[in-house]
Amino acid sequence: MRKCRIYDKQFKIIRDVKYIDYRNKEVMYYTDEIEGNEKWSNLDIVRGFDEVNIMWSTGLKDKNGVEIYEGDILVDYNGYEAQYNKVKWSDKYCTWMIEGDFDIEFLRDFARHCSFEVIGNIYENSELLDEVEE
């Protein structure tokens, strides 16, 4: 089974998915606490597909052993210069791609000699997108 997590647009949090109901177009995730609000602690939350962004696992890990997901922002320190890239799926090539300082490349090509580090994601760390798009 493929692994994924979601970004809840309302609560602005990322959580692991417990299950996906494709028939009703819903996902369920567990929340331990949302911004200190006890009302929303220790609950299973159900959201419609339109209320979340689903982030699929690439099946790869960064240099620190952190799993890489769609939408993650990766940094590679090539010499003294940091190179920023975001992870996305390519329907055209049916594979994971990185887009940024390397233009667009296959993620699997870099995974063999992985020096990438996950430093955030496009939903919670939008300020890092400026680095990717420069």
Side-chain angles (χ1 to χ4, degrees):
M1 185 169 116
R2 293 185 61 197
K3 186 175 178 183
C4 66
R5 62 186 184 188
I6 57 95
Y7 173 73
D8 186 311
K9 296 175 186 178
Q10 178 184 349
F11 292 130
K12 299 184 183 342
I13 57 173
I14 291 182
R15 293 291 186 267
D16 290 331
V17 172
K18 286 182 82 171
Y19 79 81
I20 300 175
D21 180 349
Y22 289 100
R23 173 177 272 166
N24 295 312
K25 298 182 180 177
E26 295 176 332
V27 297
M28 176 188 273
Y29 68 91
Y30 174 79
T31 180
D32 46 4
E33 188 174 319
I34 297 176
E35 295 191 16
N37 187 340
E38 291 180 20
K39 175 183 171 187
W40 293 102
S41 63
N42 301 318
L43 292 175
D44 287 332
I45 305 288
V46 176
R47 292 278 189 240
F49 284 179
D50 60 332
E51 299 174 290
V52 299
N53 291 320
I54 298 176
M55 305 166 67
W56 293 100
S57 171
T58 64
L60 301 171
K61 295 185 178 185
D62 75 358
K63 69 179 188 176
N64 300 317
V66 175
E67 195 160 3
I68 300 173
Y69 284 85
E70 180 178 14
D72 278 346
I73 298 173
L74 309 175
V75 66
D76 180 31
Y77 297 101
N78 187 3
Y80 296 106
E81 185 178 347
Q83 297 175 328
Y84 296 88
N85 299 276
K86 63 182 171 182
V87 178
K88 66 181 200 170
W89 176 257
S90 169
D91 286 333
K92 179 178 179 181
Y93 298 109
C94 295
T95 191
W96 294 104
M97 307 291 285
I98 54 172
E99 180 180 58
D101 291 337
F102 293 115
D103 295 320
I104 298 177
E105 301 284 343
F106 298 118
L107 179 59
R108 69 174 182 260
D109 293 344
F110 291 92
R112 289 186 204 121
H113 30 273
C114 184
S115 57
F116 284 117
E117 182 177 0
V118 175
I119 58 168
N121 61 71
I122 61 175
Y123 304 108
E124 294 179 316
N125 309 100
S126 59
E127 71 280 358
L128 295 174
L129 285 176
D130 295 335
E131 300 292 338
V132 173
E133 295 167 358
E134 285 183 353

PDB file of all heavy atoms in Angstrom, residues 69 71-75 84-87 117-123 125-129 132:
ATOM      1  N   TYR A  69       8.435  13.202   0.779  1.00  0.00           N
ATOM      2  CA  TYR A  69       7.057  13.230   0.297  1.00  0.00           C
ATOM      3  C   TYR A  69       6.906  14.268  -0.807  1.00  0.00           C
ATOM      4  O   TYR A  69       7.678  15.231  -0.897  1.00  0.00           O
ATOM      5  CB  TYR A  69       6.096  13.609   1.428  1.00  0.00           C
ATOM      6  CG  TYR A  69       5.836  12.507   2.415  1.00  0.00           C
ATOM      7  CD1 TYR A  69       6.688  12.297   3.490  1.00  0.00           C
ATOM      8  CD2 TYR A  69       4.734  11.670   2.282  1.00  0.00           C
ATOM      9  CE1 TYR A  69       6.441  11.286   4.412  1.00  0.00           C
ATOM     10  CE2 TYR A  69       4.486  10.658   3.185  1.00  0.00           C
ATOM     11  CZ  TYR A  69       5.338  10.472   4.252  1.00  0.00           C
ATOM     12  OH  TYR A  69       5.096   9.473   5.146  1.00  0.00           O
ATOM     13  N   GLY A  71       5.769  17.457  -2.432  1.00  0.00           N
ATOM     14  CA  GLY A  71       5.609  18.778  -1.827  1.00  0.00           C
ATOM     15  C   GLY A  71       6.720  19.144  -0.861  1.00  0.00           C
ATOM     16  O   GLY A  71       6.783  20.280  -0.394  1.00  0.00           O
ATOM     17  N   ASP A  72       7.613  18.219  -0.562  1.00  0.00           N
ATOM     18  CA  ASP A  72       8.743  18.545   0.318  1.00  0.00           C
ATOM     19  C   ASP A  72       9.714  19.462  -0.398  1.00  0.00           C
ATOM     20  O   ASP A  72       9.836  19.437  -1.631  1.00  0.00           O
ATOM     21  CB  ASP A  72       9.485  17.281   0.766  1.00  0.00           C
ATOM     22  CG  ASP A  72       8.811  16.586   1.937  1.00  0.00           C
ATOM     23  OD1 ASP A  72       7.925  17.191   2.577  1.00  0.00           O
ATOM     24  OD2 ASP A  72       9.180  15.435   2.227  1.00  0.00           O
ATOM     25  N   ILE A  73      10.409  20.261   0.378  1.00  0.00           N
ATOM     26  CA  ILE A  73      11.468  21.115  -0.133  1.00  0.00           C
ATOM     27  C   ILE A  73      12.787  20.512   0.331  1.00  0.00           C
ATOM     28  O   ILE A  73      12.979  20.247   1.520  1.00  0.00           O
ATOM     29  CB  ILE A  73      11.316  22.565   0.351  1.00  0.00           C
ATOM     30  CG1 ILE A  73       9.989  23.138  -0.163  1.00  0.00           C
ATOM     31  CG2 ILE A  73      12.495  23.416  -0.115  1.00  0.00           C
ATOM     32  CD1 ILE A  73       9.642  24.508   0.380  1.00  0.00           C
ATOM     33  N   LEU A  74      13.671  20.277  -0.636  1.00  0.00           N
ATOM     34  CA  LEU A  74      14.965  19.661  -0.365  1.00  0.00           C
ATOM     35  C   LEU A  74      16.071  20.683  -0.575  1.00  0.00           C
ATOM     36  O   LEU A  74      15.966  21.542  -1.443  1.00  0.00           O
ATOM     37  CB  LEU A  74      15.209  18.482  -1.310  1.00  0.00           C
ATOM     38  CG  LEU A  74      14.122  17.422  -1.415  1.00  0.00           C
ATOM     39  CD1 LEU A  74      14.500  16.409  -2.492  1.00  0.00           C
ATOM     40  CD2 LEU A  74      13.921  16.731  -0.092  1.00  0.00           C
ATOM     41  N   VAL A  75      17.124  20.563   0.212  1.00  0.00           N
ATOM     42  CA  VAL A  75      18.308  21.390   0.000  1.00  0.00           C
ATOM     43  C   VAL A  75      19.502  20.465  -0.186  1.00  0.00           C
ATOM     44  O   VAL A  75      19.595  19.412   0.435  1.00  0.00           O
ATOM     45  CB  VAL A  75      18.544  22.391   1.167  1.00  0.00           C
ATOM     46  CG1 VAL A  75      18.873  21.674   2.462  1.00  0.00           C
ATOM     47  CG2 VAL A  75      19.622  23.399   0.814  1.00  0.00           C
ATOM     48  N   TYR A  84      18.136  24.608  -3.711  1.00  0.00           N
ATOM     49  CA  TYR A  84      16.816  24.275  -3.210  1.00  0.00           C
ATOM     50  C   TYR A  84      15.966  23.670  -4.320  1.00  0.00           C
ATOM     51  O   TYR A  84      16.003  24.142  -5.456  1.00  0.00           O
ATOM     52  CB  TYR A  84      16.125  25.521  -2.655  1.00  0.00           C
ATOM     53  CG  TYR A  84      16.837  26.101  -1.471  1.00  0.00           C
ATOM     54  CD1 TYR A  84      17.855  27.033  -1.632  1.00  0.00           C
ATOM     55  CD2 TYR A  84      16.497  25.717  -0.180  1.00  0.00           C
ATOM     56  CE1 TYR A  84      18.523  27.565  -0.542  1.00  0.00           C
ATOM     57  CE2 TYR A  84      17.160  26.243   0.914  1.00  0.00           C
ATOM     58  CZ  TYR A  84      18.170  27.168   0.713  1.00  0.00           C
ATOM     59  OH  TYR A  84      18.821  27.682   1.798  1.00  0.00           O
ATOM     60  N   ASN A  85      15.181  22.653  -3.968  1.00  0.00           N
ATOM     61  CA  ASN A  85      14.335  21.966  -4.936  1.00  0.00           C
ATOM     62  C   ASN A  85      13.054  21.501  -4.265  1.00  0.00           C
ATOM     63  O   ASN A  85      13.055  21.191  -3.074  1.00  0.00           O
ATOM     64  CB  ASN A  85      15.061  20.743  -5.510  1.00  0.00           C
ATOM     65  CG  ASN A  85      16.326  21.130  -6.217  1.00  0.00           C
ATOM     66  OD1 ASN A  85      16.292  21.501  -7.375  1.00  0.00           O
ATOM     67  ND2 ASN A  85      17.448  21.071  -5.517  1.00  0.00           N
ATOM     68  N   LYS A  86      11.964  21.431  -5.021  1.00  0.00           N
ATOM     69  CA  LYS A  86      10.726  20.865  -4.491  1.00  0.00           C
ATOM     70  C   LYS A  86      10.415  19.570  -5.218  1.00  0.00           C
ATOM     71  O   LYS A  86      10.788  19.383  -6.383  1.00  0.00           O
ATOM     72  CB  LYS A  86       9.566  21.849  -4.571  1.00  0.00           C
ATOM     73  CG  LYS A  86       9.162  22.264  -5.954  1.00  0.00           C
ATOM     74  CD  LYS A  86       8.038  23.290  -5.897  1.00  0.00           C
ATOM     75  CE  LYS A  86       7.781  23.859  -7.280  1.00  0.00           C
ATOM     76  NZ  LYS A  86       6.755  24.874  -7.255  1.00  0.00           N
ATOM     77  N   VAL A  87       9.740  18.668  -4.520  1.00  0.00           N
ATOM     78  CA  VAL A  87       9.430  17.339  -5.034  1.00  0.00           C
ATOM     79  C   VAL A  87       8.028  17.346  -5.613  1.00  0.00           C
ATOM     80  O   VAL A  87       7.094  17.850  -4.979  1.00  0.00           O
ATOM     81  CB  VAL A  87       9.522  16.291  -3.900  1.00  0.00           C
ATOM     82  CG1 VAL A  87       9.149  14.906  -4.408  1.00  0.00           C
ATOM     83  CG2 VAL A  87      10.912  16.300  -3.277  1.00  0.00           C
ATOM     84  N   GLU A 117      18.587  17.040   1.816  1.00  0.00           N
ATOM     85  CA  GLU A 117      18.017  17.073   3.159  1.00  0.00           C
ATOM     86  C   GLU A 117      16.643  17.730   3.073  1.00  0.00           C
ATOM     87  O   GLU A 117      16.500  18.784   2.451  1.00  0.00           O
ATOM     88  CB  GLU A 117      18.930  17.886   4.078  1.00  0.00           C
ATOM     89  CG  GLU A 117      18.487  17.954   5.493  1.00  0.00           C
ATOM     90  CD  GLU A 117      19.481  18.716   6.364  1.00  0.00           C
ATOM     91  OE1 GLU A 117      20.509  19.189   5.869  1.00  0.00           O
ATOM     92  OE2 GLU A 117      19.180  18.834   7.561  1.00  0.00           O
ATOM     93  N   VAL A 118      15.627  17.098   3.677  1.00  0.00           N
ATOM     94  CA  VAL A 118      14.288  17.693   3.732  1.00  0.00           C
ATOM     95  C   VAL A 118      14.342  18.833   4.740  1.00  0.00           C
ATOM     96  O   VAL A 118      14.720  18.627   5.897  1.00  0.00           O
ATOM     97  CB  VAL A 118      13.225  16.656   4.160  1.00  0.00           C
ATOM     98  CG1 VAL A 118      11.867  17.335   4.323  1.00  0.00           C
ATOM     99  CG2 VAL A 118      13.136  15.517   3.152  1.00  0.00           C
ATOM    100  N   ILE A 119      13.972  20.037   4.290  1.00  0.00           N
ATOM    101  CA  ILE A 119      14.011  21.195   5.193  1.00  0.00           C
ATOM    102  C   ILE A 119      12.631  21.810   5.396  1.00  0.00           C
ATOM    103  O   ILE A 119      12.489  22.791   6.123  1.00  0.00           O
ATOM    104  CB  ILE A 119      14.986  22.278   4.701  1.00  0.00           C
ATOM    105  CG1 ILE A 119      14.623  22.755   3.300  1.00  0.00           C
ATOM    106  CG2 ILE A 119      16.417  21.761   4.762  1.00  0.00           C
ATOM    107  CD1 ILE A 119      15.355  24.003   2.866  1.00  0.00           C
ATOM    108  N   GLY A 120      11.619  21.244   4.773  1.00  0.00           N
ATOM    109  CA  GLY A 120      10.266  21.763   4.923  1.00  0.00           C
ATOM    110  C   GLY A 120       9.394  21.257   3.793  1.00  0.00           C
ATOM    111  O   GLY A 120       9.731  20.297   3.110  1.00  0.00           O
ATOM    112  N   ASN A 121       8.258  21.934   3.628  1.00  0.00           N
ATOM    113  CA  ASN A 121       7.333  21.573   2.546  1.00  0.00           C
ATOM    114  C   ASN A 121       6.665  22.830   2.030  1.00  0.00           C
ATOM    115  O   ASN A 121       6.742  23.889   2.646  1.00  0.00           O
ATOM    116  CB  ASN A 121       6.306  20.537   3.027  1.00  0.00           C
ATOM    117  CG  ASN A 121       5.458  21.055   4.146  1.00  0.00           C
ATOM    118  OD1 ASN A 121       4.618  21.925   3.942  1.00  0.00           O
ATOM    119  ND2 ASN A 121       5.688  20.545   5.354  1.00  0.00           N
ATOM    120  N   ILE A 122       6.022  22.697   0.885  1.00  0.00           N
ATOM    121  CA  ILE A 122       5.458  23.868   0.205  1.00  0.00           C
ATOM    122  C   ILE A 122       4.260  24.471   0.930  1.00  0.00           C
ATOM    123  O   ILE A 122       3.880  25.600   0.648  1.00  0.00           O
ATOM    124  CB  ILE A 122       5.091  23.552  -1.255  1.00  0.00           C
ATOM    125  CG1 ILE A 122       4.044  22.448  -1.328  1.00  0.00           C
ATOM    126  CG2 ILE A 122       6.330  23.182  -2.055  1.00  0.00           C
ATOM    127  CD1 ILE A 122       3.518  22.154  -2.733  1.00  0.00           C
ATOM    128  N   TYR A 123       3.667  23.734   1.858  1.00  0.00           N
ATOM    129  CA  TYR A 123       2.474  24.217   2.552  1.00  0.00           C
ATOM    130  C   TYR A 123       2.808  24.965   3.846  1.00  0.00           C
ATOM    131  O   TYR A 123       2.234  26.010   4.115  1.00  0.00           O
ATOM    132  CB  TYR A 123       1.524  23.055   2.851  1.00  0.00           C
ATOM    133  CG  TYR A 123       1.158  22.301   1.604  1.00  0.00           C
ATOM    134  CD1 TYR A 123       1.660  21.034   1.366  1.00  0.00           C
ATOM    135  CD2 TYR A 123       0.352  22.881   0.634  1.00  0.00           C
ATOM    136  CE1 TYR A 123       1.349  20.343   0.203  1.00  0.00           C
ATOM    137  CE2 TYR A 123       0.047  22.206  -0.540  1.00  0.00           C
ATOM    138  CZ  TYR A 123       0.547  20.941  -0.745  1.00  0.00           C
ATOM    139  OH  TYR A 123       0.248  20.277  -1.901  1.00  0.00           O
ATOM    140  N   ASN A 125       6.013  25.932   4.745  1.00  0.00           N
ATOM    141  CA  ASN A 125       7.240  26.718   4.623  1.00  0.00           C
ATOM    142  C   ASN A 125       7.277  27.459   3.290  1.00  0.00           C
ATOM    143  O   ASN A 125       8.244  27.357   2.546  1.00  0.00           O
ATOM    144  CB  ASN A 125       8.461  25.812   4.755  1.00  0.00           C
ATOM    145  CG  ASN A 125       8.400  24.934   5.984  1.00  0.00           C
ATOM    146  OD1 ASN A 125       8.048  23.772   5.890  1.00  0.00           O
ATOM    147  ND2 ASN A 125       8.687  25.501   7.141  1.00  0.00           N
ATOM    148  N   SER A 126       6.227  28.200   3.006  1.00  0.00           N
ATOM    149  CA  SER A 126       6.118  28.872   1.710  1.00  0.00           C
ATOM    150  C   SER A 126       7.257  29.865   1.474  1.00  0.00           C
ATOM    151  O   SER A 126       7.604  30.144   0.330  1.00  0.00           O
ATOM    152  CB  SER A 126       4.767  29.567   1.574  1.00  0.00           C
ATOM    153  OG  SER A 126       4.601  30.513   2.605  1.00  0.00           O
ATOM    154  N   GLU A 127       7.853  30.382   2.547  1.00  0.00           N
ATOM    155  CA  GLU A 127       8.964  31.320   2.385  1.00  0.00           C
ATOM    156  C   GLU A 127      10.168  30.652   1.711  1.00  0.00           C
ATOM    157  O   GLU A 127      10.965  31.303   1.049  1.00  0.00           O
ATOM    158  CB  GLU A 127       9.386  31.932   3.733  1.00  0.00           C
ATOM    159  CG  GLU A 127      10.104  30.983   4.688  1.00  0.00           C
ATOM    160  CD  GLU A 127       9.193  30.038   5.462  1.00  0.00           C
ATOM    161  OE1 GLU A 127       7.959  30.106   5.320  1.00  0.00           O
ATOM    162  OE2 GLU A 127       9.741  29.230   6.236  1.00  0.00           O
ATOM    163  N   LEU A 128      10.284  29.336   1.847  1.00  0.00           N
ATOM    164  CA  LEU A 128      11.377  28.613   1.200  1.00  0.00           C
ATOM    165  C   LEU A 128      11.168  28.484  -0.302  1.00  0.00           C
ATOM    166  O   LEU A 128      12.116  28.256  -1.048  1.00  0.00           O
ATOM    167  CB  LEU A 128      11.534  27.217   1.810  1.00  0.00           C
ATOM    168  CG  LEU A 128      11.968  27.168   3.272  1.00  0.00           C
ATOM    169  CD1 LEU A 128      11.927  25.740   3.782  1.00  0.00           C
ATOM    170  CD2 LEU A 128      13.344  27.761   3.443  1.00  0.00           C
ATOM    171  N   LEU A 129       9.943  28.649  -0.759  1.00  0.00           N
ATOM    172  CA  LEU A 129       9.662  28.560  -2.201  1.00  0.00           C
ATOM    173  C   LEU A 129      10.388  29.649  -2.972  1.00  0.00           C
ATOM    174  O   LEU A 129      10.737  29.469  -4.135  1.00  0.00           O
ATOM    175  CB  LEU A 129       8.171  28.637  -2.480  1.00  0.00           C
ATOM    176  CG  LEU A 129       7.382  27.387  -2.144  1.00  0.00           C
ATOM    177  CD1 LEU A 129       5.893  27.616  -2.380  1.00  0.00           C
ATOM    178  CD2 LEU A 129       7.857  26.204  -2.946  1.00  0.00           C
ATOM    179  N   VAL A 132      13.567  28.248  -4.017  1.00  0.00           N
ATOM    180  CA  VAL A 132      13.420  27.271  -5.091  1.00  0.00           C
ATOM    181  C   VAL A 132      13.243  27.977  -6.428  1.00  0.00           C
ATOM    182  O   VAL A 132      13.794  27.563  -7.441  1.00  0.00           O
ATOM    183  CB  VAL A 132      12.213  26.339  -4.835  1.00  0.00           C
ATOM    184  CG1 VAL A 132      11.955  25.444  -6.024  1.00  0.00           C
ATOM    185  CG2 VAL A 132      12.443  25.509  -3.589  1.00  0.00           C
TER     186      VAL A 132
END
